[in-house]
Amino acid sequence: MQYDTTQATRQAQRNDQSHPVSADLIAVVIAVTNGEPRVLTIEQAQALPSGPFELDHRSLQSGLRAWVERQTGHLLGYIEQLYTFADRDRTGDARVQISISYLGLTREEQAERSPTHGWRGWYEYFPWEDHRVGAPPILADILMPRLLAWADVAEDLGVRRDRRQRVAYAFGLDDRGWNEELALQRYELLYEAALVPEATRGRDNGIPPAIPGRPMTADHRRILATGIARLRTKIKYRPVVFELMPPAFTLLQLQRTVEALAGRLVHKQNFRRLIEQQDLVEETGETMSDTGGRPAKRFRFRQTVLAERTVAGTKLPLSRA
Amino acid sequence: MQYDTTQATRQAQRNDQSHPVSADLIAVVIAVTNGEPRVLTIEQAQALPSGPFELDHRSLQSGLRAWVERQTGHLLGYIEQLYTFADRDRTGDARVQISISYLGLTREEQAERSPTHGWRGWYEYFPWEDHRVGAPPILADILMPRLLAWADVAEDLGVRRDRRQRVAYAFGLDDRGWNEELALQRYELLYEAALVPEATRGRDNGIPPAIPGRPMTADHRRILATGIARLRTKIKYRPVVFELMPPAFTLLQLQRTVEALAGRLVHKQNFRRLIEQQDLVEETGETMSDTGGRPAKRFRFRQTVLAERTVAGTKLPLSRA
DNA sequence: CTCATTATGCTCGCGTTGAGTATAACTAGG
DNA sequence: CCTAGTTATACTCAACGCGAGCATAATGAG
């Protein structure tokens, strides 16, 4: 190899200066059961499955799978990386902690009750995110007043305006409309405004902010918000919903799953049109007549789509010219 | 705090089992100069700026900025995380190496020539990615025959079909059309087919594959491909192009920058329409009359948009129902 | 003064998508 | 058996986004 020398130099330089860090793997594992999106938790629903990346892990992904299985007994299927961040103050010692988070999609199998781990509805952690039956009252009654108050306590006029604008944008004030993909921005605003317990934890300022929504260990709720936002974005351009569905399903079941994730309702006829014209599903031949009305055809996901369907939205006027 | 106990337990468990790893920060820094996308490199254009994450780095991002500045003298503006991966065999010792890669966008300032670092056109590394003047001949002449040959050497019929389909999809064969966002998939296919030197490096199989395109150290070219793909996707729904533009510019300059990144041309009138209707820019009042034709108005990016423009494409029939 | 060149405005046509209407096929209750 | 309630499924319509092309304006070079 022609550049052996320089590479060796850089490698040596690197090893001299590198410090040991420890790497944590954290999993946001999602399933949708009975039209409710659920997340796999441990420690009485206050933490996400996680553990250190170890030497005998073949890869980051397999390390994550091993930890999830060890802590919850659950085998993961589809996973994708979410985000990596570093935190010095987590463990207390001098070592820097790096956290690598993943999003996993599965189906909730036998619902075994365990005292330590289990599935929890994700709207328990983010009650303001469920708009399927309209905007939750806590938004107008509790969150918005406190957020706007927080914006207004700022000394600087510019900061005040900036805060108001970010709140208005993230929560769809005025005529902006609710955007379900901004779940992370909303949590971050609540954190910044010290309206969630995680923000004031450790500091002894006494007054815990009484905002609805269950907190989590460390920054796990923030990671969960990241996963929710990612999933809400992704279902719109990739057929990932099917990872959450049973082998056969009706179009309404599929729609309810999407609605559960998005936290809002969709137009039934248009949903069907979209699914069918994209050739995502095929009929199984059977019908379901459980739900009280006309029997629904059962569908299955067309495996063919898996490879090619990586499409990608286009917003630029790209042409062949 | 109510869950101190369990948290302490988990923390202890974690420290017991955690192994030291070293974390590397790797930067894909992009600028567009004279209509050419360029990447900041070190080691005679064969490596990306990188270095270990150290104790005195305040955060991953600041550590990355420090390394880029130390190695190239360049100060970074906008950066975003790309991907994190682990690699056991990189350093040789037992320690596991974690690499965290970032994408940075800037403008190429004073073009100081340095023997060790400098800006390189990114199409030097991926000559098959530039379709601004049509599909590069190397595609039909060299890459496609070899890729299809690779697909056909597979014993198993299923593997053969799978490879052919992936190649056809990634390279837009048949009627599929070229998709500039698949830069990473294309590089990965070339790697899998052992058509890039990086794939056979270290193994003494003698014959280096003579495919156009400059290789890089370790997996740096793969990381560059990741950055290119990310950027090509992102310019379509976020106003990140402006990070690459000077304070004032004409619409054609903006268009040329987008085209340089996308590797394909866009329809001029439609590009203007899109930019203007989104209120992304405002006139400065000046005009430019350098380029031989009617003088062009100069524009600047509207700062107002920064906060709110997080939009997000919608592919689901979301309704208020 | 003419031509080449770039800037800029405007129109057309098609496909996508939000939204609503109409009809079909069931179950439950009298 | 008939009716109301419920869900499934097929169409229709209008607005809008976007690819594509035509037309006109304003320069500099020769």
Side-chain angles (χ1 to χ4, degrees):
Chain A
M1 279 196 262
Q2 43 183 341
Y3 41 86
D4 259 333
T5 325
T6 47
Q7 192 174 356
T9 307
R10 194 166 55 100
Q11 217 60 268
Q13 172 191 8
R14 172 174 301 158
N15 285 340
D16 278 348
Q17 298 168 341
S18 77
H19 290 274
V21 298
S22 58
D24 240 28
L25 302 168
I26 307 183
V28 178
V29 183
I30 302 296
V32 177
T33 310
N34 300 325
E36 279 303 313
R38 317 239 283 171
V39 56
L40 188 55
T41 61
I42 61 174
E43 289 175 13
Q44 290 83 43
Q46 279 162 350
L48 298 169
S50 65
F53 179 53
E54 294 174 351
L55 268 180
D56 57 321
H57 290 149
R58 285 199 332 281
S59 65
L60 292 174
Q61 295 212 0
S62 65
L64 184 91
R65 288 177 201 276
W67 276 114
V68 171
E69 193 180 345
R70 192 184 314 181
Q71 293 179 345
T72 71
H74 202 88
L75 293 168
L76 290 186
Y78 173 93
I79 63 180
E80 72 174 65
Q81 202 176 92
L82 275 178
Y83 203 74
T84 301
F85 45 94
D87 194 340
R88 190 184 322 283
D89 302 326
R90 284 264 292 287
T91 52
D93 54 17
R95 183 185 289 177
V96 175
Q97 173 79 28
I98 289 182
S99 300
I100 306 163
S101 56
Y102 280 82
L103 171 67
L105 304 179
T106 30
R107 279 173 292 128
E108 188 176 343
E109 309 291 355
Q110 59 295 345
E112 14 91 45
R113 286 286 106 200
S114 157
T116 56
H117 66 267
W119 295 95
R120 284 307 178 109
W122 84 22
Y123 293 121
E124 284 183 35
Y125 302 94
F126 305 98
W128 55 86
E129 292 290 341
D130 189 358
H131 286 230
R132 285 176 293 179
V133 288
I138 39 165
L139 261 176
D141 295 348
I142 305 177
L143 295 189
M144 295 324 300
R146 301 218 183 172
L147 279 168
L148 292 173
W150 164 73
D152 283 336
V153 297
E155 303 284 324
D156 185 65
L157 175 67
V159 174
R160 216 152 52 225
R161 186 155 36 200
D162 175 66
R163 285 181 179 179
R164 269 200 293 257
Q165 181 169 345
R166 280 157 61 212
V167 169
Y169 170 66
F171 288 86
L173 298 191
D174 312 329
D175 56 345
R176 266 168 270 244
W178 180 260
N179 183 346
E180 74 281 353
E181 297 181 14
L182 302 179
L184 177 59
Q185 283 92 325
R186 285 186 282 269
Y187 177 77
E188 284 182 336
L189 276 172
L190 292 171
Y191 188 102
E192 199 177 335
L195 295 177
V196 293
E198 289 96 326
T200 52
R201 188 184 287 162
R203 294 184 239 150
D204 46 1
N205 57 355
I207 323 105
I211 287 284
R214 177 195 288 268
M216 293 184 103
T217 296
D219 47 7
H220 284 200
R221 190 152 61 140
R222 185 181 192 282
I223 297 174
L224 176 54
T226 307
I228 292 174
R230 174 81 127 258
L231 189 48
R232 284 181 169 182
T233 305
K234 200 149 196 176
I235 45 171
K236 293 177 185 169
Y237 65 96
R238 289 277 182 87
V240 283
V241 217
F242 297 99
E243 308 287 346
L244 303 161
M245 302 297 296
F249 47 85
T250 69
L251 289 185
L252 185 58
Q253 287 170 338
L254 182 62
Q255 179 183 344
R256 292 290 176 238
T257 302
V258 169
E259 289 173 337
L261 298 174
R264 57 189 301 182
L265 300 179
V266 306
H267 182 124
K268 188 174 191 168
Q269 296 91 323
N270 292 346
F271 180 80
R272 300 172 57 88
R273 176 175 64 188
L274 203 65
I275 298 295
E276 286 177 336
Q277 85 186 4
Q278 288 189 296
D279 268 338
L280 291 177
V281 297
E282 60 190 7
E283 301 182 12
T284 66
E286 315 153 291
T287 60
M288 284 267 298
S289 50
D290 298 51
T291 43
R294 169 174 169 175
K297 292 179 187 164
R298 308 235 303 175
F299 292 84
R300 78 171 70 90
F301 180 49
R302 283 186 61 236
Q303 294 295 341
T304 329
V305 201
L306 272 177
E308 30 182 322
R309 199 64 78 185
T310 320
V311 195
T314 300
K315 272 278 186 178
L316 279 177
L318 296 172
S319 76
R320 352 257 157 266
Chain B
M1 280 195 264
Q2 40 183 343
Y3 40 86
D4 260 332
T5 325
T6 47
Q7 193 174 357
T9 306
R10 194 166 57 100
Q11 218 59 267
Q13 171 191 10
R14 171 175 299 156
N15 286 340
D16 278 348
Q17 298 168 340
S18 77
H19 290 274
V21 298
S22 57
D24 240 29
L25 302 168
I26 307 184
V28 177
V29 182
I30 302 296
V32 178
T33 309
N34 300 325
E36 278 303 314
R38 317 240 282 170
V39 57
L40 188 55
T41 61
I42 61 173
E43 290 176 11
Q44 292 84 42
Q46 280 162 350
L48 299 170
S50 66
F53 180 53
E54 293 174 351
L55 268 180
D56 57 322
H57 290 148
R58 287 198 332 280
S59 65
L60 292 174
Q61 296 212 359
S62 66
L64 185 90
R65 288 177 201 276
W67 275 114
V68 171
E69 192 180 346
R70 192 185 313 181
Q71 294 178 344
T72 71
H74 201 89
L75 293 167
L76 290 186
Y78 174 92
I79 63 180
E80 72 174 63
Q81 202 177 92
L82 277 178
Y83 203 74
T84 301
F85 45 96
D87 194 340
R88 190 184 323 283
D89 304 326
R90 281 268 290 291
T91 52
D93 54 17
R95 182 185 291 176
V96 175
Q97 173 79 29
I98 289 183
S99 299
I100 306 162
S101 56
Y102 279 83
L103 171 67
L105 304 179
T106 29
R107 278 174 292 127
E108 189 176 342
E109 309 290 356
Q110 60 294 344
E112 15 90 47
R113 286 286 107 201
S114 156
T116 56
H117 67 267
W119 294 95
R120 286 304 178 110
W122 83 22
Y123 293 120
E124 285 183 34
Y125 302 94
F126 305 98
W128 56 85
E129 290 290 341
D130 189 358
H131 287 230
R132 285 176 293 178
V133 289
I138 40 164
L139 261 177
D141 295 347
I142 305 177
L143 295 190
M144 295 324 300
R146 300 217 183 173
L147 280 168
L148 293 174
W150 165 73
D152 282 336
V153 297
E155 302 286 323
D156 185 65
L157 174 67
V159 174
R160 216 151 53 221
R161 185 155 37 200
D162 175 65
R163 284 182 179 178
R164 270 202 292 257
Q165 179 169 348
R166 280 157 60 212
V167 169
Y169 170 66
F171 288 85
L173 298 191
D174 312 329
D175 56 345
R176 268 168 269 246
W178 180 260
N179 183 346
E180 74 281 355
E181 297 180 14
L182 303 179
L184 177 60
Q185 283 91 327
R186 284 187 283 269
Y187 177 78
E188 285 182 335
L189 275 172
L190 292 171
Y191 188 102
E192 198 178 336
L195 295 177
V196 293
E198 289 95 326
T200 52
R201 189 184 286 162
R203 293 184 241 150
D204 48 359
N205 56 355
I207 323 106
I211 286 284
R214 177 195 288 270
M216 293 184 104
T217 296
D219 47 6
H220 285 200
R221 190 150 62 141
R222 185 182 194 282
I223 297 173
L224 176 55
T226 308
I228 291 174
R230 173 81 129 259
L231 189 48
R232 283 180 169 182
T233 306
K234 199 150 195 174
I235 46 171
K236 293 178 184 169
Y237 65 98
R238 288 278 181 87
V240 284
V241 216
F242 298 100
E243 308 288 346
L244 302 161
M245 301 299 296
F249 48 84
T250 69
L251 290 185
L252 185 57
Q253 287 170 338
L254 182 62
Q255 180 184 344
R256 293 288 176 239
T257 302
V258 169
E259 289 173 336
L261 298 174
R264 55 190 302 184
L265 301 179
V266 306
H267 185 174
K268 189 174 191 166
Q269 295 93 320
N270 291 347
F271 180 79
R272 301 171 57 86
R273 177 175 62 188
L274 203 64
I275 297 296
E276 287 177 336
Q277 85 187 4
Q278 288 189 296
D279 268 339
L280 290 176
V281 297
E282 60 191 6
E283 300 183 12
T284 67
E286 316 153 290
T287 59
M288 283 267 298
S289 48
D290 299 51
T291 42
R294 170 174 169 177
K297 290 179 189 166
R298 307 236 299 174
F299 293 84
R300 78 170 72 89
F301 180 47
R302 283 186 61 236
Q303 294 296 342
T304 329
V305 200
L306 271 178
E308 30 182 323
R309 198 62 78 184
T310 320
V311 195
T314 300
K315 273 277 184 180
L316 280 179
L318 297 172
S319 75
R320 351 257 158 267

